[in-house]
C-alpha cells in the first residue's frame, strides 16, 4: 500500500491506495477517479503502518480494493459509504 500524510489547517490528511492503482483512472457512470502521484503518492508501507496512519487521520481518502477492505475490517469506514468506481473501490473518512 502507498500512504501519504499531510498536516493541514484542518488536521492530518491521509491518503491510502493500493500500489497497483497509483497513476490509474477509473470511471463509472457519473464518476471519474484519477489516482494521481501528486495526491496519492507516498511511501510503500505494510498494512500495520497503513492502519496506524488511518487511526490518526482527521481526513482520509482511500482507493483500491485491498486498501478499502482494510479500512472496513478495522472499522474506519462503513460498507454503505464505499463507492464502486470502475474496477476499484473508493471511500473517504472525516472525523469531526
Amino acid at each position: 500500500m502507498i500512504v501519504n500524510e499531510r498536516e493541514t489547517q484542518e488536521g492530518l490528511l491521509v491518503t491510502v491506495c493500493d500500489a497497483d492503482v497509483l497513476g490509474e483512472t477509473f470511471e463509472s457512470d457519473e464518476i471519474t477517479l484519477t489516482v494521481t502521484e501528486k495526491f496519492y503518492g507516498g511511501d510503500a508501507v505494510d498494512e500495520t503502518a497503513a492502519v496506524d496512519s488511518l487511526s490518526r487521520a482527521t481526513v482520509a481518502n482511500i482507493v483500491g480494493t485491498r486498501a478499502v477492505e482494510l479500512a472496513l475490517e478495522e472499522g474506519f469506514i462503513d460498507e454503505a459509504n464505499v463507492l464502486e468506481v470502475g474496477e476499484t473501490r473508493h471511500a473517504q473518512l472525516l472525523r469531526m
Side-chain angles (χ1 to χ4, degrees):
M1 273 177 217
I2 308 295
V3 172
N4 190 325
E5 295 185 1
R6 298 174 187 86
E7 282 295 337
T8 70
Q9 291 180 353
E10 291 78 29
L12 182 64
L13 168 62
V14 173
T15 60
V16 179
C17 72
D18 294 351
D20 65 338
V21 302
L22 191 61
E24 299 293 326
T25 297
F26 301 92
E27 296 181 9
S28 66
D29 296 334
E30 302 169 9
I31 300 171
T32 298
L33 173 65
T34 301
V35 188
T36 63
E37 177 72 35
K38 182 176 181 178
F39 188 70
Y40 287 95
D43 299 321
V45 301
D46 63 16
E47 291 185 359
T48 301
V51 168
D52 179 62
S53 289
L54 287 170
S55 71
R56 294 180 289 107
T58 305
V59 177
N61 286 276
I62 308 158
V63 180
T65 303
R66 182 61 198 133
V68 170
E69 285 177 9
L70 180 63
L72 286 165
E73 290 167 6
E74 296 295 326
F76 295 116
I77 58 174
D78 294 321
E79 183 69 45
N81 299 318
V82 175
L83 297 175
E84 301 286 335
V85 184
E87 296 177 7
T88 197
R89 303 180 90 198
H90 171 68
Q92 294 180 318
L93 164 71
L94 174 62
R95 287 196 179 94
M96 301 177 88

